[in-house]
């Protein structure tokens, strides 16, 4: 008799979260609300990039921002100064948001009258990438000072993202950062990744990023319309 049994687990340990995320996307589709999950490491310029994005899109769509952090409301206060609807989510020490936590935030926030909600996830290149939040699309920011080798070191976040914003290109002359290398490394992880070099400080490149976002929100709303449901 064998001293123990070996079981092969073929179902993802994240299956319950994935199911909740799929359900949340269906609810958002019914509300015609597009949820973008924005990830990055701390200090990459997420909040400044969001401010630029709000400035570019505020006359075209109704926008809300959910700021997730372990503690503090610094980022929410910055967004509030733009006049945009914002809520601060404290994760209680967790380094990520999952689908249920996102749902709780959305319920408190209220999304029925919003076209675009951006979830600014906790600053981290590892944990947030592991959990499906229920967002329609995932995007990430990589800043020039972080180096162009990050797709090699943190592959998952590049694999799960639909768009990569390379921020702080205004300081390229001062750092050993190779734009072509980061494109090469990122596309090794995800050939379909859309890449947008920007400077949130000067506004350079923001319009191309916003054009992509406009297209995604429009496609989501078309799919949610009766004719688009098939």
């Amino acid at each position: 008799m064998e001293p123990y049994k070996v079981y092969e687990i073929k179902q993802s340990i994240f299956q319950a979260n994935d199911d909740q995320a799929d359900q949340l996307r269906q609810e958002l589709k019914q509300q015609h609300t597009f949820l973008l999950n924005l990830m990055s490491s701390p200090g990459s310029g997420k909040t400044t990039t969001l401010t630029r994005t709000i400035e570019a899109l505020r006359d075209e769509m109704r926008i809300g921002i959910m700021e997730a952090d372990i503690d503090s409301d610094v980022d929410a206060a910055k967004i509030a100064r733009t006049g945009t609807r914002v809520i601060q989510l404290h994760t209680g020490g967790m380094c990520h948001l999952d689908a249920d936590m996102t749902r709780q935030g959305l319920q408190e926030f209220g999304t029925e009258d919003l076209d675009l909600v951006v979830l600014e996830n906790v600053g981290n290149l590892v944990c947030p990438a592991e959990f499906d939040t229920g967002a329609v699309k995932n995007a990430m920011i990589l800043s020039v000072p972080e180096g162009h080798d990050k797709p090699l070191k943190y592959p998952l976040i590049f694999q799960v993202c639909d768009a990569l914003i390379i921020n702080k290109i205004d300081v390229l002359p001062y750092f050993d950062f190779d734009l072509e290398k980061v494109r090469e490394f990122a596309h090794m992880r995800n050939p379909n990744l859309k890449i947008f070099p920007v400077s949130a400080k000067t506004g350079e490149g923001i319009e191309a990023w916003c054009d992509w976002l406009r297209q995604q929100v429009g496609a989501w709303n078309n799919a949610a319309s009766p004719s688009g449901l098939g």
Side-chain angles (χ1 to χ4, degrees):
M1 180 177 179
E2 294 183 4
Y4 54 84
K5 293 182 178 179
V6 176
Y7 290 92
E8 269 191 60
I9 306 298
K10 295 186 180 295
Q11 189 176 38
S12 169
I13 61 172
F14 297 110
Q15 188 62 55
N17 180 75
D18 293 346
D19 291 343
Q20 290 185 55
D22 288 339
Q23 179 60 39
L24 181 55
R25 271 185 287 272
Q26 288 304 311
E27 294 168 8
L28 290 168
K29 181 175 284 189
Q30 293 170 7
Q31 297 169 12
H32 291 255
T33 300
F34 184 98
L35 176 62
L36 176 74
N37 177 31
L38 183 61
M39 299 176 283
S40 81
S41 60
S44 66
K46 283 197 301 296
T47 306
T48 307
T49 302
L50 277 177
T51 300
R52 286 285 187 180
T53 303
I54 290 166
E55 291 172 355
L57 298 176
R58 71 193 319 163
D59 294 333
E60 305 172 36
M61 57 184 76
R62 300 164 297 176
I63 303 171
I65 308 294
M66 300 203 306
E67 292 285 350
D69 259 313
I70 292 174
D71 205 349
S72 91
D73 60 353
V74 173
D75 292 338
K78 290 179 181 176
I79 294 296
R81 287 196 285 271
T82 70
T84 304
R85 189 154 137 204
V86 62
I87 188 173
Q88 182 74 54
L89 308 179
H90 285 166
T91 64
M94 301 289 285
C95 61
H96 67 275
L97 289 182
D98 59 22
D100 185 58
M101 295 161 74
T102 303
R103 180 192 296 278
Q104 291 179 53
L106 289 170
Q107 287 174 344
E108 289 296 320
F109 195 40
T111 59
E112 292 80 3
D113 60 343
L114 294 174
D115 304 305
L116 168 65
V117 176
V118 181
L119 169 61
E120 183 178 337
N121 217 314
V122 180
N124 193 308
L125 290 181
V126 181
C127 300
E130 296 178 343
F131 292 85
D132 189 341
T133 61
V136 182
K137 296 289 182 180
N138 294 315
M140 68 171 291
I141 299 176
L142 175 69
S143 64
V144 166
E146 295 174 75
H148 57 254
D149 60 352
K150 291 301 176 287
L152 303 179
K153 294 183 175 181
Y154 304 99
L156 182 60
I157 193 167
F158 293 87
Q159 291 168 1
V160 303
C161 280
D162 303 281
L164 165 63
I165 298 170
I166 302 174
N167 191 26
K168 305 187 183 181
I169 59 172
D170 52 297
V171 299
L172 272 171
Y174 310 104
F175 289 88
D176 183 18
F177 187 96
D178 190 324
L179 269 175
E180 291 310 309
K181 279 293 183 185
V182 81
R183 289 179 188 274
E184 176 188 343
F185 295 155
H187 283 145
M188 281 171 53
R189 301 304 187 188
N190 182 352
N192 298 317
L193 189 66
K194 302 297 182 184
I195 300 177
F196 302 96
V198 311
S199 168
K201 181 178 181 179
T202 67
E204 182 181 357
I206 291 294
E207 192 59 29
W209 152 247
C210 287
D211 279 344
W212 179 84
L213 202 48
R214 289 183 185 100
Q215 293 169 7
Q216 300 307 311
V217 174
W220 181 250
N221 285 335
N222 288 337
S225 66
S227 60
L229 289 175

